[in-house]
Amino acid sequence: MHIITTLPRYSDGEINRALIKEIQTGFQLERETERARVEQAAAESKAYRGHKTVDGLGKCVGVIPSREFFRLTSKYGRDEVHSKGFMQYYQKKFPHLSPNRI
């Protein structure tokens, strides 16, 4: 019984080409999924526009795509991302994701 099988050997050129192709398609896939997340967040923001409130949370002042939110909280901290100053900056930078003013 052989537990370890022999694996096919690849040349360095083949490995490099495969790695470069994976990196290029990975970046393209990431851009496409991020665009889809932003479109979804914009649709949610549009639904919250006006005086609609969320029970227990109040009025929605900004919708941040999930991955971007986690990147921001890991870089700046949860308190900074939820601060009034940050939300004012976010509303200026991304008006299409800001349904209501602070």
Side-chain angles (χ1 to χ4, degrees), residues 5-37:
T5 61
T6 58
L7 299 174
R9 301 277 178 174
Y10 295 103
S11 68
D12 289 340
E14 290 175 316
I15 293 172
N16 290 342
R17 283 190 296 277
L19 183 60
I20 289 170
K21 182 180 176 185
E22 181 64 31
I23 290 171
Q24 289 173 340
T25 57
F27 284 141
Q28 181 181 3
L29 179 63
E30 178 63 27
R31 275 188 244 115
E32 290 171 5
T33 56
E34 186 64 25
R35 188 177 310 118
R37 286 186 193 105

Side-chain angles (χ1 to χ4, degrees), residues 6 16 19 33-34 45 58-59 69 71 73 77 79 90 95 100:
T6 58
N16 290 342
L19 183 60
T33 56
E34 186 64 25
S45 176
K59 190 167 43 170
F69 174 77
R71 286 181 189 153
T73 55
D79 293 335
Y90 188 78
N100 301 302

Side-chain angles (χ1 to χ4, degrees), residues 35-69:
R35 188 177 310 118
R37 286 186 193 105
V38 170
E39 288 173 4
Q40 179 184 5
E44 290 176 21
S45 176
K46 191 174 183 180
Y48 286 123
R49 191 151 286 157
H51 297 289
K52 188 173 183 178
T53 60
V54 178
D55 294 336
L57 297 175
K59 190 167 43 170
C60 180
V61 294
V63 179
I64 302 174
S66 58
R67 183 169 286 180
E68 184 64 22
F69 174 77

